[in-house]
Amino acid sequence: MTLILGIETSCDETAAAVVSDRKEIRSNVVLSQTAEHLPYGGVVPEIAARAHLDHIETIIDRALKDAGVTLAEVDAIAATGGPGLIGGVIVGVMTAKALASVAQKPFIAVNHLEGHALTARLTNDVPFPFLLLLVSGGHCQFLIVKGVGHYERLGGTVDDALGEAFDKTAKMLGLDYPGGPAVEALARTGNPHAYTFPMPMKGRPGCDLSFSGLKTAVRMQIAELGALTPTLRADICASFQYTAGESVADRTRGAMLQFRHQFPQATAFVLAGGVAANQYLRGKLEATANEFGLTLIAPPIKLCTDNAAMIAWAGMERFTLGLTDGLDFEPKARWPLCA
């Protein structure tokens, strides 16, 4: 049995996990920094990097103990090499390199986006190729996943990512950080048709997305209303989420047309990234996938947000193919999946 230790420090979660080639998550430890960043309404990179440095050793020790293994028993060590907040990425990469050097294990630098992209193969054994919508606070793109390291970008956001639009809407409404879950929770009690917001890119060819105009429309509506009651906040959240969902569904149809043209026998549409935890969006995109005879596959919610199990699994996929990295690998703030 092959075991990979994974380390994730790209943003505001310090995480470590051990995964086997039998697709067993032997451990998955995540330490959130939400409390540290809450007073600022968002992630402060310097605070995040210092927190990673303070806690990473303890988190790795716990992951190994939870998995019932020692460092000597793992076969390789994988760490997020980017993209992400560079201070945090450096902490994770340097720690992984040190462990790999001391234990004489291979080191694997994992693209954080590939970690999200391949999680469905860990949880649902999805075969290549599949269509992927990777949607998070910093990324929003449609990709055809043809194999490990082989991606074709069909389209993506031309401005803001959807997760960013959720977070900014929450901030404008005075909701707590993190904003995405707060908007989703409040939207459940609101009227999705209380306000009519513009539907970005609707009906255009292709599958590019845009959320800047939607975010601006929400800001203008809030300014027009003035004092916000709980009911008004709920209605704005519901109307925003409805519009965002309709927009994503429309753009997804464009991506599915392109995907079906290339791979008519493929069956899977994978939704991954932090925003994939949104249940409303999952329901909307499941219906859209059904229109094209595709099955929506989204990892469990705890594996949608940043975690080390996805990094360990992506490391496993690469290790199986003999893809390892030298200790001279340089951490990357930017690292697109497609050149």
Side-chain angles (χ1 to χ4, degrees), residues 211-239:
F211 299 104
S212 179
L214 173 57
K215 187 177 66 178
T216 300
V218 171
R219 178 178 58 79
M220 293 175 65
Q221 185 64 67
I222 292 171
E224 180 181 327
L225 290 170
L228 295 175
T229 65
T231 297
L232 290 176
R233 283 191 173 88
D235 286 347
I236 290 173
C237 287
S239 298

Tab-separated table of all heavy atoms in Angstrom, residues 211-239:
chain	number	residue	atom	x	y	z
A	211	PHE	N	-18.960	38.535	-12.995
A	211	PHE	CA	-19.758	38.821	-11.803
A	211	PHE	C	-19.565	40.238	-11.273
A	211	PHE	O	-20.174	40.609	-10.274
A	211	PHE	CB	-19.441	37.796	-10.706
A	211	PHE	CG	-19.772	36.390	-11.109
A	211	PHE	CD1	-18.768	35.512	-11.474
A	211	PHE	CD2	-21.084	35.958	-11.162
A	211	PHE	CE1	-19.067	34.226	-11.875
A	211	PHE	CE2	-21.397	34.674	-11.563
A	211	PHE	CZ	-20.388	33.798	-11.914
A	212	SER	N	-18.722	41.013	-11.944
A	212	SER	CA	-18.472	42.377	-11.484
A	212	SER	C	-19.732	43.228	-11.551
A	212	SER	O	-20.053	43.975	-10.622
A	212	SER	CB	-17.353	43.016	-12.316
A	212	SER	OG	-17.120	44.338	-11.907
A	213	GLY	N	-20.471	43.127	-12.665
A	213	GLY	CA	-21.686	43.914	-12.824
A	213	GLY	C	-22.764	43.529	-11.828
A	213	GLY	O	-23.490	44.389	-11.312
A	214	LEU	N	-22.870	42.250	-11.531
A	214	LEU	CA	-23.836	41.778	-10.537
A	214	LEU	C	-23.496	42.343	-9.163
A	214	LEU	O	-24.378	42.808	-8.433
A	214	LEU	CB	-23.841	40.252	-10.508
A	214	LEU	CG	-24.677	39.575	-9.408
A	214	LEU	CD1	-26.135	40.024	-9.477
A	214	LEU	CD2	-24.570	38.059	-9.518
A	215	LYS	N	-22.230	42.319	-8.833
A	215	LYS	CA	-21.778	42.852	-7.548
A	215	LYS	C	-22.089	44.352	-7.442
A	215	LYS	O	-22.551	44.827	-6.400
A	215	LYS	CB	-20.277	42.610	-7.401
A	215	LYS	CG	-19.704	42.954	-6.053
A	215	LYS	CD	-18.229	42.601	-5.994
A	215	LYS	CE	-17.419	43.454	-6.945
A	215	LYS	NZ	-15.977	43.154	-6.877
A	216	THR	N	-21.869	45.061	-8.544
A	216	THR	CA	-22.158	46.499	-8.553
A	216	THR	C	-23.654	46.763	-8.401
A	216	THR	O	-24.073	47.690	-7.691
A	216	THR	CB	-21.646	47.137	-9.862
A	216	THR	OG1	-20.226	46.942	-9.945
A	216	THR	CG2	-21.956	48.631	-9.902
A	217	ALA	N	-24.466	45.939	-9.055
A	217	ALA	CA	-25.923	46.111	-8.959
A	217	ALA	C	-26.401	45.887	-7.526
A	217	ALA	O	-27.298	46.598	-7.045
A	217	ALA	CB	-26.616	45.125	-9.908
A	218	VAL	N	-25.808	44.938	-6.846
A	218	VAL	CA	-26.155	44.701	-5.444
A	218	VAL	C	-25.783	45.918	-4.599
A	218	VAL	O	-26.562	46.374	-3.745
A	218	VAL	CB	-25.450	43.438	-4.914
A	218	VAL	CG1	-25.617	43.311	-3.404
A	218	VAL	CG2	-25.993	42.193	-5.601
A	219	ARG	N	-24.605	46.462	-4.845
A	219	ARG	CA	-24.168	47.642	-4.088
A	219	ARG	C	-25.122	48.813	-4.299
A	219	ARG	O	-25.488	49.516	-3.344
A	219	ARG	CB	-22.751	48.037	-4.510
A	219	ARG	CG	-22.226	49.284	-3.799
A	219	ARG	CD	-20.799	49.603	-4.211
A	219	ARG	NE	-20.658	49.806	-5.636
A	219	ARG	CZ	-20.982	50.938	-6.278
A	219	ARG	NH1	-21.501	51.961	-5.602
A	219	ARG	NH2	-20.811	51.044	-7.568
A	220	MET	N	-25.549	49.029	-5.544
A	220	MET	CA	-26.462	50.131	-5.843
A	220	MET	C	-27.826	49.921	-5.194
A	220	MET	O	-28.455	50.862	-4.701
A	220	MET	CB	-26.591	50.284	-7.362
A	220	MET	CG	-25.303	50.744	-8.045
A	220	MET	SD	-25.416	50.777	-9.853
A	220	MET	CE	-26.646	52.069	-10.080
A	221	GLN	N	-28.289	48.667	-5.157
A	221	GLN	CA	-29.574	48.361	-4.532
A	221	GLN	C	-29.504	48.613	-3.029
A	221	GLN	O	-30.439	49.162	-2.428
A	221	GLN	CB	-29.962	46.914	-4.797
A	221	GLN	CG	-31.338	46.529	-4.282
A	221	GLN	CD	-32.448	47.292	-4.976
A	221	GLN	OE1	-32.704	47.118	-6.152
A	221	GLN	NE2	-33.113	48.171	-4.239
A	222	ILE	N	-28.403	48.241	-2.426
A	222	ILE	CA	-28.229	48.473	-0.992
A	222	ILE	C	-28.220	49.969	-0.692
A	222	ILE	O	-28.851	50.431	0.272
A	222	ILE	CB	-26.932	47.804	-0.496
A	222	ILE	CG1	-27.070	46.279	-0.558
A	222	ILE	CG2	-26.593	48.251	0.930
A	222	ILE	CD1	-25.777	45.533	-0.294
A	223	ALA	N	-27.523	50.731	-1.532
A	223	ALA	CA	-27.467	52.187	-1.334
A	223	ALA	C	-28.842	52.820	-1.487
A	223	ALA	O	-29.215	53.742	-0.744
A	223	ALA	CB	-26.486	52.800	-2.328
A	224	GLU	N	-29.625	52.311	-2.421
A	224	GLU	CA	-30.964	52.848	-2.666
A	224	GLU	C	-31.897	52.566	-1.486
A	224	GLU	O	-32.732	53.400	-1.124
A	224	GLU	CB	-31.540	52.241	-3.947
A	224	GLU	CG	-32.936	52.740	-4.305
A	224	GLU	CD	-33.478	52.095	-5.560
A	224	GLU	OE1	-32.669	51.789	-6.469
A	224	GLU	OE2	-34.703	51.887	-5.646
A	225	LEU	N	-31.743	51.400	-0.877
A	225	LEU	CA	-32.624	51.020	0.223
A	225	LEU	C	-32.305	51.771	1.513
A	225	LEU	O	-33.188	52.021	2.338
A	225	LEU	CB	-32.529	49.512	0.482
A	225	LEU	CG	-33.125	48.615	-0.599
A	225	LEU	CD1	-32.756	47.158	-0.339
A	225	LEU	CD2	-34.645	48.775	-0.652
A	226	GLY	N	-31.039	52.109	1.691
A	226	GLY	CA	-30.666	52.795	2.925
A	226	GLY	C	-30.617	51.827	4.093
A	226	GLY	O	-29.885	50.832	4.068
A	227	ALA	N	-31.374	52.092	5.135
A	227	ALA	CA	-31.384	51.230	6.317
A	227	ALA	C	-31.901	49.843	5.937
A	227	ALA	O	-32.932	49.710	5.270
A	227	ALA	CB	-32.256	51.834	7.415
A	228	LEU	N	-31.180	48.814	6.368
A	228	LEU	CA	-31.524	47.447	5.993
A	228	LEU	C	-32.107	46.685	7.171
A	228	LEU	O	-31.476	46.556	8.217
A	228	LEU	CB	-30.282	46.711	5.478
A	228	LEU	CG	-29.657	47.233	4.183
A	228	LEU	CD1	-28.380	46.479	3.870
A	228	LEU	CD2	-30.638	47.132	3.029
A	229	THR	N	-33.301	46.190	6.999
A	229	THR	CA	-33.914	45.315	7.993
A	229	THR	C	-33.463	43.885	7.727
A	229	THR	O	-32.941	43.571	6.636
A	229	THR	CB	-35.444	45.374	7.905
A	229	THR	OG1	-35.836	44.831	6.629
A	229	THR	CG2	-35.944	46.806	8.040
A	230	PRO	N	-33.649	42.967	8.670
A	230	PRO	CA	-33.307	41.565	8.420
A	230	PRO	C	-34.008	40.995	7.184
A	230	PRO	O	-33.425	40.213	6.430
A	230	PRO	CB	-33.756	40.864	9.703
A	230	PRO	CG	-33.624	41.910	10.762
A	230	PRO	CD	-34.025	43.195	10.093
A	231	THR	N	-35.259	41.403	6.963
A	231	THR	CA	-36.003	40.910	5.795
A	231	THR	C	-35.379	41.416	4.502
A	231	THR	O	-35.245	40.653	3.523
A	231	THR	CB	-37.473	41.358	5.871
A	231	THR	OG1	-38.075	40.783	7.027
A	231	THR	CG2	-38.247	40.899	4.635
A	232	LEU	N	-34.990	42.680	4.471
A	232	LEU	CA	-34.361	43.229	3.271
A	232	LEU	C	-33.038	42.525	2.982
A	232	LEU	O	-32.725	42.220	1.827
A	232	LEU	CB	-34.141	44.733	3.432
A	232	LEU	CG	-35.399	45.606	3.425
A	232	LEU	CD1	-35.037	47.063	3.702
A	232	LEU	CD2	-36.136	45.499	2.082
A	233	ARG	N	-32.258	42.277	4.015
A	233	ARG	CA	-30.981	41.572	3.828
A	233	ARG	C	-31.218	40.168	3.252
A	233	ARG	O	-30.518	39.734	2.332
A	233	ARG	CB	-30.235	41.469	5.157
A	233	ARG	CG	-29.537	42.749	5.596
A	233	ARG	CD	-28.606	42.477	6.783
A	233	ARG	NE	-27.823	43.650	7.111
A	233	ARG	CZ	-28.209	44.614	7.931
A	233	ARG	NH1	-29.403	44.528	8.521
A	233	ARG	NH2	-27.429	45.651	8.176
A	234	ALA	N	-32.192	39.482	3.793
A	234	ALA	CA	-32.490	38.134	3.310
A	234	ALA	C	-32.936	38.161	1.851
A	234	ALA	O	-32.534	37.308	1.047
A	234	ALA	CB	-33.563	37.487	4.183
A	235	ASP	N	-33.758	39.141	1.487
A	235	ASP	CA	-34.239	39.249	0.109
A	235	ASP	C	-33.100	39.569	-0.853
A	235	ASP	O	-33.048	39.042	-1.975
A	235	ASP	CB	-35.314	40.330	0.002
A	235	ASP	CG	-36.647	39.884	0.605
A	235	ASP	OD1	-36.809	38.677	0.869
A	235	ASP	OD2	-37.522	40.757	0.809
A	236	ILE	N	-32.179	40.430	-0.435
A	236	ILE	CA	-31.029	40.749	-1.289
A	236	ILE	C	-30.162	39.512	-1.479
A	236	ILE	O	-29.735	39.198	-2.597
A	236	ILE	CB	-30.212	41.913	-0.689
A	236	ILE	CG1	-31.000	43.223	-0.803
A	236	ILE	CG2	-28.870	42.051	-1.409
A	236	ILE	CD1	-30.362	44.392	-0.085
A	237	CYS	N	-29.914	38.784	-0.393
A	237	CYS	CA	-29.117	37.559	-0.498
A	237	CYS	C	-29.778	36.548	-1.435
A	237	CYS	O	-29.120	35.943	-2.289
A	237	CYS	CB	-28.922	36.939	0.881
A	237	CYS	SG	-27.769	37.815	1.943
A	238	ALA	N	-31.074	36.366	-1.273
A	238	ALA	CA	-31.793	35.393	-2.104
A	238	ALA	C	-31.801	35.811	-3.567
A	238	ALA	O	-31.608	34.978	-4.465
A	238	ALA	CB	-33.219	35.229	-1.591
A	239	SER	N	-32.012	37.093	-3.816
A	239	SER	CA	-32.041	37.588	-5.197
A	239	SER	C	-30.664	37.512	-5.842
A	239	SER	O	-30.526	37.163	-7.019
A	239	SER	CB	-32.558	39.028	-5.220
A	239	SER	OG	-33.881	39.102	-4.732
